[in-house]
Amino acid sequence: MILRHGAIHAAFVAVCLVAALWLAPGLYAFSPDTYAARSVLSSGRWVKIKVSNSGLHLITRDRLRQWGFSDPAKVAVYGYGGFPISDRLTLAGYTDDVPPALTEMTPEGIVFYAAAGMKWKADYNGRIDRERNYYSDEGYYFITETDLHPERTVVISVRAERTVATGLPGVDGEAATTFAAPLLHERELVSGGNTGHTLLGEDFSRNRSQTFSFALPDNAGGELWLNCAFATKTVGGSSSVRFSANGTALPVTEAAVIPSTPNDLESHYTLREIDATAEVAGERLDLTVTFTPEASVRLARLDYITVNYRRRLRLRDGYLSFSSSTPRMSLEGVGEGTLLWDVTDAASVKPIRYYADGSRALWTATE
């Protein structure tokens, strides 16, 4: 009986396997030359660093010497950071080995762009929301002394002529002077269920009205857009989420009413994204979120809030990160040592060539 059962089981697996191979669409493998013969990490001396925020990072000359690098001019940075990658494996999005990062040697040390575990992504409406790496908040990079890939490492003085890589100096026509600036409030405090990668934030089950403050530097005015992701489990009735901006109640949308969640072990909570718009003057937004249940509350927590507002394209405090759907741009507040980098692809950062008109930088994107 045991042998017969085993034979039937083996035949069943074989039939299923043949059927799967027959029905599976588009099975293929990458060519062997897709893969590096050996990793750059396989030899040499390396220092691994962690970054918690996306943006420009400075490694000072003193720090490089402390890490054992005697010649900063030969120091290179490798890595693609912590941005989430697609679950679909394609050649277009595949990187086999850690790539070299664009660096700039300045009198203070080496500057490079690093990506942490969250990035901004625009939807078809041009609104910008966050895309998170649910498995790491940080990005990691590797530092070494090497002569490999010298074309990927820019070692110049801040006063030297800028490297030509992308963009055309000047603009032909009207240039953008503002951009959609995204802001985020998110705290990952608890898991709302027994599975899944989503972590939820502030508890609204008792404190049902809470205020969250956002700085709006260089606010150009106009309509502000916000998106609030809110998780609830109410049994026997619905609940609602409402907003006020700087003391002014915002219009209620249909999405603000969250239906009840089934009272069973499989339904942990209902997660709803709620949009709203507001007119805000000045450089501060105090957003009050109010939760109103109509039934017994088992769970009520904020997931995250994103805000988009129109911000002037102006260099403030020496650094600005921005994006634009318009190819022609005008940036205020530049000086002789201002550098512009295109960081659309964090693994392939490029310098931008621009025309300096007094304290303005003018350029037209070419990619």
Side-chain angles (χ1 to χ4, degrees), residues 336-360:
E336 184 180 357
T338 300
L339 298 174
L340 296 180
W341 284 1
D342 182 347
V343 298
T344 304
D345 182 354
S348 181
V349 177
K350 301 182 179 78
I352 296 175
R353 186 176 61 171
Y354 65 86
Y355 171 73
D357 181 14
S359 61
R360 291 192 307 158

mmCIF file of all heavy atoms in Angstrom, residues 336-360:
data_model
loop_
_atom_site.group_PDB
_atom_site.id
_atom_site.type_symbol
_atom_site.label_atom_id
_atom_site.label_comp_id
_atom_site.label_asym_id
_atom_site.label_seq_id
_atom_site.Cartn_x
_atom_site.Cartn_y
_atom_site.Cartn_z
ATOM 1 N N GLU A 336 28.494 80.491 -8.155
ATOM 2 C CA GLU A 336 29.570 80.002 -9.019
ATOM 3 C C GLU A 336 29.839 78.516 -8.805
ATOM 4 O O GLU A 336 30.187 77.803 -9.741
ATOM 5 C CB GLU A 336 30.850 80.809 -8.738
ATOM 6 C CG GLU A 336 32.003 80.447 -9.642
ATOM 7 C CD GLU A 336 33.247 81.266 -9.327
ATOM 8 O OE1 GLU A 336 33.172 82.133 -8.446
ATOM 9 O OE2 GLU A 336 34.287 81.014 -9.961
ATOM 10 N N GLY A 337 29.667 78.028 -7.603
ATOM 11 C CA GLY A 337 29.979 76.634 -7.316
ATOM 12 C C GLY A 337 28.790 75.699 -7.333
ATOM 13 O O GLY A 337 28.892 74.561 -6.865
ATOM 14 N N THR A 338 27.656 76.149 -7.871
ATOM 15 C CA THR A 338 26.450 75.310 -7.842
ATOM 16 C C THR A 338 26.563 74.168 -8.844
ATOM 17 O O THR A 338 26.911 74.380 -10.002
ATOM 18 C CB THR A 338 25.204 76.147 -8.156
ATOM 19 O OG1 THR A 338 25.076 77.188 -7.186
ATOM 20 C CG2 THR A 338 23.956 75.270 -8.119
ATOM 21 N N LEU A 339 26.244 72.976 -8.384
ATOM 22 C CA LEU A 339 26.218 71.797 -9.245
ATOM 23 C C LEU A 339 24.801 71.255 -9.299
ATOM 24 O O LEU A 339 24.104 71.216 -8.280
ATOM 25 C CB LEU A 339 27.156 70.716 -8.696
ATOM 26 C CG LEU A 339 28.643 71.065 -8.620
ATOM 27 C CD1 LEU A 339 29.395 69.955 -7.919
ATOM 28 C CD2 LEU A 339 29.210 71.292 -10.020
ATOM 29 N N LEU A 340 24.381 70.823 -10.487
ATOM 30 C CA LEU A 340 23.080 70.184 -10.665
ATOM 31 C C LEU A 340 23.305 68.743 -11.109
ATOM 32 O O LEU A 340 24.086 68.495 -12.038
ATOM 33 C CB LEU A 340 22.248 70.928 -11.717
ATOM 34 C CG LEU A 340 21.852 72.366 -11.399
ATOM 35 C CD1 LEU A 340 21.030 72.948 -12.540
ATOM 36 C CD2 LEU A 340 21.071 72.427 -10.118
ATOM 37 N N TRP A 341 22.595 67.821 -10.469
ATOM 38 C CA TRP A 341 22.688 66.408 -10.831
ATOM 39 C C TRP A 341 21.305 65.879 -11.150
ATOM 40 O O TRP A 341 20.326 66.194 -10.469
ATOM 41 C CB TRP A 341 23.277 65.586 -9.682
ATOM 42 C CG TRP A 341 24.767 65.733 -9.523
ATOM 43 C CD1 TRP A 341 25.592 66.521 -10.266
ATOM 44 C CD2 TRP A 341 25.589 65.074 -8.569
ATOM 45 N NE1 TRP A 341 26.881 66.399 -9.826
ATOM 46 C CE2 TRP A 341 26.914 65.514 -8.781
ATOM 47 C CE3 TRP A 341 25.348 64.160 -7.552
ATOM 48 C CZ2 TRP A 341 27.987 65.062 -8.024
ATOM 49 C CZ3 TRP A 341 26.415 63.712 -6.785
ATOM 50 C CH2 TRP A 341 27.727 64.153 -7.025
ATOM 51 N N ASP A 342 21.234 65.035 -12.175
ATOM 52 C CA ASP A 342 20.015 64.311 -12.522
ATOM 53 C C ASP A 342 20.055 62.969 -11.790
ATOM 54 O O ASP A 342 20.866 62.094 -12.102
ATOM 55 C CB ASP A 342 19.943 64.093 -14.030
ATOM 56 C CG ASP A 342 18.662 63.388 -14.462
ATOM 57 O OD1 ASP A 342 17.944 62.852 -13.591
ATOM 58 O OD2 ASP A 342 18.389 63.356 -15.683
ATOM 59 N N VAL A 343 19.154 62.801 -10.800
ATOM 60 C CA VAL A 343 19.156 61.590 -9.973
ATOM 61 C C VAL A 343 17.910 60.745 -10.248
ATOM 62 O O VAL A 343 17.487 59.967 -9.392
ATOM 63 C CB VAL A 343 19.260 61.944 -8.473
ATOM 64 C CG1 VAL A 343 20.557 62.666 -8.178
ATOM 65 C CG2 VAL A 343 18.071 62.798 -8.024
ATOM 66 N N THR A 344 17.348 60.895 -11.458
ATOM 67 C CA THR A 344 16.170 60.096 -11.816
ATOM 68 C C THR A 344 16.448 58.613 -11.629
ATOM 69 O O THR A 344 15.629 57.872 -11.073
ATOM 70 C CB THR A 344 15.769 60.376 -13.271
ATOM 71 O OG1 THR A 344 15.556 61.786 -13.446
ATOM 72 C CG2 THR A 344 14.506 59.622 -13.631
ATOM 73 N N ASP A 345 17.609 58.170 -12.075
ATOM 74 C CA ASP A 345 18.064 56.804 -11.851
ATOM 75 C C ASP A 345 19.165 56.862 -10.810
ATOM 76 O O ASP A 345 20.282 57.310 -11.091
ATOM 77 C CB ASP A 345 18.571 56.197 -13.156
ATOM 78 C CG ASP A 345 19.016 54.740 -13.009
ATOM 79 O OD1 ASP A 345 19.030 54.242 -11.861
ATOM 80 O OD2 ASP A 345 19.355 54.113 -14.021
ATOM 81 N N ALA A 346 18.871 56.401 -9.593
ATOM 82 C CA ALA A 346 19.834 56.514 -8.501
ATOM 83 C C ALA A 346 21.095 55.715 -8.761
ATOM 84 O O ALA A 346 22.140 56.001 -8.171
ATOM 85 C CB ALA A 346 19.189 56.062 -7.190
ATOM 86 N N ALA A 347 21.018 54.720 -9.641
ATOM 87 C CA ALA A 347 22.196 53.909 -9.956
ATOM 88 C C ALA A 347 22.978 54.478 -11.137
ATOM 89 O O ALA A 347 24.012 53.929 -11.509
ATOM 90 C CB ALA A 347 21.784 52.471 -10.257
ATOM 91 N N SER A 348 22.499 55.570 -11.738
ATOM 92 C CA SER A 348 23.179 56.180 -12.877
ATOM 93 C C SER A 348 22.960 57.695 -12.829
ATOM 94 O O SER A 348 22.265 58.275 -13.668
ATOM 95 C CB SER A 348 22.640 55.603 -14.198
ATOM 96 O OG SER A 348 23.314 56.162 -15.307
ATOM 97 N N VAL A 349 23.564 58.341 -11.842
ATOM 98 C CA VAL A 349 23.419 59.784 -11.643
ATOM 99 C C VAL A 349 24.282 60.519 -12.662
ATOM 100 O O VAL A 349 25.412 60.134 -12.937
ATOM 101 C CB VAL A 349 23.821 60.160 -10.205
ATOM 102 C CG1 VAL A 349 23.756 61.669 -10.005
ATOM 103 C CG2 VAL A 349 22.917 59.439 -9.208
ATOM 104 N N LYS A 350 23.727 61.606 -13.221
ATOM 105 C CA LYS A 350 24.437 62.364 -14.258
ATOM 106 C C LYS A 350 24.475 63.845 -13.884
ATOM 107 O O LYS A 350 23.481 64.396 -13.401
ATOM 108 C CB LYS A 350 23.740 62.217 -15.614
ATOM 109 C CG LYS A 350 23.611 60.784 -16.126
ATOM 110 C CD LYS A 350 22.952 60.810 -17.490
ATOM 111 C CE LYS A 350 22.825 59.410 -18.063
ATOM 112 N NZ LYS A 350 21.698 58.690 -17.458
ATOM 113 N N PRO A 351 25.603 64.535 -14.161
ATOM 114 C CA PRO A 351 25.620 65.995 -14.010
ATOM 115 C C PRO A 351 24.750 66.653 -15.076
ATOM 116 O O PRO A 351 24.566 66.114 -16.165
ATOM 117 C CB PRO A 351 27.097 66.357 -14.212
ATOM 118 C CG PRO A 351 27.852 65.062 -14.132
ATOM 119 C CD PRO A 351 26.902 63.998 -14.558
ATOM 120 N N ILE A 352 24.197 67.812 -14.747
ATOM 121 C CA ILE A 352 23.358 68.573 -15.685
ATOM 122 C C ILE A 352 24.115 69.823 -16.118
ATOM 123 O O ILE A 352 24.629 70.581 -15.277
ATOM 124 C CB ILE A 352 22.020 68.974 -15.034
ATOM 125 C CG1 ILE A 352 21.199 67.731 -14.690
ATOM 126 C CG2 ILE A 352 21.217 69.890 -15.953
ATOM 127 C CD1 ILE A 352 19.925 68.036 -13.929
ATOM 128 N N ARG A 353 24.169 70.050 -17.420
ATOM 129 C CA ARG A 353 24.773 71.271 -17.939
ATOM 130 C C ARG A 353 23.708 72.356 -17.986
ATOM 131 O O ARG A 353 22.579 72.104 -18.432
ATOM 132 C CB ARG A 353 25.339 70.998 -19.336
ATOM 133 C CG ARG A 353 26.122 72.171 -19.908
ATOM 134 C CD ARG A 353 26.731 71.811 -21.239
ATOM 135 N NE ARG A 353 25.707 71.466 -22.225
ATOM 136 C CZ ARG A 353 25.980 71.286 -23.524
ATOM 137 N NH1 ARG A 353 27.220 71.373 -23.962
ATOM 138 N NH2 ARG A 353 25.001 70.981 -24.361
ATOM 139 N N TYR A 354 24.043 73.569 -17.540
ATOM 140 C CA TYR A 354 23.059 74.652 -17.515
ATOM 141 C C TYR A 354 23.716 75.973 -17.880
ATOM 142 O O TYR A 354 24.942 76.107 -17.905
ATOM 143 C CB TYR A 354 22.402 74.740 -16.138
ATOM 144 C CG TYR A 354 23.331 75.128 -15.008
ATOM 145 C CD1 TYR A 354 23.599 76.457 -14.699
ATOM 146 C CD2 TYR A 354 23.938 74.145 -14.229
ATOM 147 C CE1 TYR A 354 24.444 76.803 -13.653
ATOM 148 C CE2 TYR A 354 24.782 74.475 -13.180
ATOM 149 C CZ TYR A 354 25.033 75.805 -12.903
ATOM 150 O OH TYR A 354 25.883 76.155 -11.872
ATOM 151 N N TYR A 355 22.862 76.954 -18.148
ATOM 152 C CA TYR A 355 23.312 78.315 -18.435
ATOM 153 C C TYR A 355 23.036 79.184 -17.216
ATOM 154 O O TYR A 355 21.915 79.209 -16.697
ATOM 155 C CB TYR A 355 22.575 78.872 -19.658
ATOM 156 C CG TYR A 355 22.815 80.338 -19.898
ATOM 157 C CD1 TYR A 355 24.035 80.798 -20.393
ATOM 158 C CD2 TYR A 355 21.817 81.283 -19.634
ATOM 159 C CE1 TYR A 355 24.262 82.141 -20.618
ATOM 160 C CE2 TYR A 355 22.030 82.635 -19.857
ATOM 161 C CZ TYR A 355 23.259 83.055 -20.349
ATOM 162 O OH TYR A 355 23.487 84.387 -20.566
ATOM 163 N N ALA A 356 24.060 79.881 -16.745
ATOM 164 C CA ALA A 356 23.925 80.740 -15.572
ATOM 165 C C ALA A 356 23.601 82.160 -16.024
ATOM 166 O O ALA A 356 24.372 82.803 -16.739
ATOM 167 C CB ALA A 356 25.208 80.722 -14.746
ATOM 168 N N ASP A 357 22.413 82.638 -15.612
ATOM 169 C CA ASP A 357 21.966 83.997 -15.900
ATOM 170 C C ASP A 357 21.868 84.731 -14.572
ATOM 171 O O ASP A 357 20.821 84.747 -13.923
ATOM 172 C CB ASP A 357 20.618 83.964 -16.615
ATOM 173 C CG ASP A 357 20.105 85.362 -16.957
ATOM 174 O OD1 ASP A 357 20.898 86.310 -16.879
ATOM 175 O OD2 ASP A 357 18.913 85.490 -17.281
ATOM 176 N N GLY A 358 22.978 85.340 -14.165
ATOM 177 C CA GLY A 358 23.015 85.954 -12.839
ATOM 178 C C GLY A 358 22.900 84.874 -11.768
ATOM 179 O O GLY A 358 23.716 83.954 -11.692
ATOM 180 N N SER A 359 21.868 84.970 -10.949
ATOM 181 C CA SER A 359 21.656 83.982 -9.884
ATOM 182 C C SER A 359 20.664 82.900 -10.303
ATOM 183 O O SER A 359 20.171 82.160 -9.460
ATOM 184 C CB SER A 359 21.151 84.682 -8.618
ATOM 185 O OG SER A 359 19.904 85.321 -8.866
ATOM 186 N N ARG A 360 20.376 82.815 -11.611
ATOM 187 C CA ARG A 360 19.460 81.792 -12.107
ATOM 188 C C ARG A 360 20.213 80.773 -12.959
ATOM 189 O O ARG A 360 21.129 81.131 -13.705
ATOM 190 C CB ARG A 360 18.333 82.403 -12.938
ATOM 191 C CG ARG A 360 17.325 83.231 -12.165
ATOM 192 C CD ARG A 360 16.120 83.511 -13.036
ATOM 193 N NE ARG A 360 16.495 84.102 -14.323
ATOM 194 C CZ ARG A 360 15.729 84.067 -15.412
ATOM 195 N NH1 ARG A 360 14.550 83.461 -15.378
ATOM 196 N NH2 ARG A 360 16.126 84.650 -16.534
#
